[in-house]
Amino acid sequence: MKKFALTSLIAIAVTGVTHADRGWSDPQEPFTIYGNTHYVGTAGIAAVLITSPEGHVLIDGATEQGAKVIASNIRALGYNIEDVKYILSSHSHVDHAGGIAALQKWSGATVLGGAGNVDALRTGISPKHDPQFGGLPNFPGAENVHAIADGETVTLGSMVVTAHTTPGHTPGGISWTWQSCEDNDCKSVVFADSISAVSAKRYRFSEHPDVVASLQQSFAKVENLPCDILIAAHPQLNDLWGRQQRANTEGKSAYVDTGACRLLVEKARRGLAERLSAEKQSISAP
């Protein structure tokens, strides 16, 4: 197993607004989820900082405007953006990768993503075989971008973050896992890439069986990951804001849910089935 080392749509109870009001670039106060795992993303797009004495790992960059929110949140937690050694990408769409170029410039970090998304991360342009090609705007391309494969790890001291290929939503989607500990109580944390069957207007999943197969493989991958704490790329998909509110009274146990990954997959699997059914009905309609 190759290692990259330092040397080389639910109501939001906590605020009383709906997820539609929580924009991709809107500010969000940072907070610690568990151990060295911290939420530094925007109100509508997840980004996570994993800290260590040897440097930090940032997962996802939100939008170009959201990058400023993330950098500010890192500083608010008492860390330096210059100490971020790796920026890990879940997938190469503007809402999750639009801010990576700025964050890479500010930090000097190495950017890692799935092989199928590397060109998009470098250019800011989705490939034509991306289901959402033509439906989302381009974004600034990042420098120092490299591919990471299924099962490869990113290491900083004792921190180990593992890549799990979860394509379908994009050609090179990656979900990430690691261990976070408090008082010798360690939890398996999952940052789950988007695995939903979402596309540009004229795209038909039924005409792309390879993409359907990729999604189904990603469903199986995510539901079988060790998953004590789930952080979804879109935080409302796992009621992160409701969990944050409950954590005020319940403590960190509010974030722990060993069934969360399976539930996320159930929703995505149901969504794909409904999409394929709707496409079939549209063909058979007179």
Side-chain angles (χ1 to χ4, degrees), residues 1-4 147-149 151-155:
M1 183 182 296
K2 182 180 175 182
K3 292 186 177 182
F4 288 87
I148 191 168
E152 289 188 281
T153 59
V154 178
T155 63

Side-chain angles (χ1 to χ4, degrees), residues 109-234:
T110 298
V111 179
L112 299 175
N117 286 349
V118 165
D119 285 346
L121 290 168
R122 289 172 176 166
T123 65
I125 303 171
S126 296
K128 292 184 177 180
H129 55 287
D130 186 317
Q132 294 191 57
F133 175 77
L136 290 173
N138 297 333
F139 55 89
E143 297 182 355
N144 197 18
V145 180
H146 303 274
I148 191 168
D150 188 45
E152 289 188 281
T153 59
V154 178
T155 63
L156 286 173
S158 61
M159 179 205 303
V160 180
V161 185
T162 303
H164 305 271
T165 53
T166 47
H169 187 81
T170 62
I174 298 281
S175 296
W176 303 91
T177 63
W178 64 96
Q179 290 267 311
S180 279
C181 305
E182 288 190 359
D183 298 324
N184 295 318
D185 184 10
C186 297
K187 305 295 184 185
S188 297
V189 187
V190 176
F191 188 102
D193 180 30
S194 294
I195 53 174
S196 55
V198 180
S199 73
K201 187 174 182 180
R202 297 183 180 180
Y203 187 94
R204 300 179 66 86
F205 283 93
S206 53
E207 296 175 355
H208 300 273
D210 56 329
V211 175
V212 172
S214 290
L215 283 168
Q216 291 170 336
Q217 292 168 5
S218 294
F219 297 160
K221 179 77 67 67
V222 172
E223 69 183 349
N224 287 299
L225 291 173
C227 184
D228 297 319
I229 297 173
L230 168 65
I231 305 165
H234 288 270

Side-chain angles (χ1 to χ4, degrees), residues 12 15 17-31 39-47 61-73 95 235 241:
I12 307 301
T15 63
V17 299
T18 66
H19 74 273
D21 298 314
R22 301 181 68 90
W24 288 350
S25 305
D26 288 348
Q28 164 65 46
E29 290 187 7
F31 57 95
Y39 188 92
V40 294
T42 66
I45 299 294
T63 63
E64 187 175 3
Q65 297 79 11
K68 297 177 182 178
V69 176
I70 292 172
S72 177
N73 283 346
D95 47 339
W241 310 122

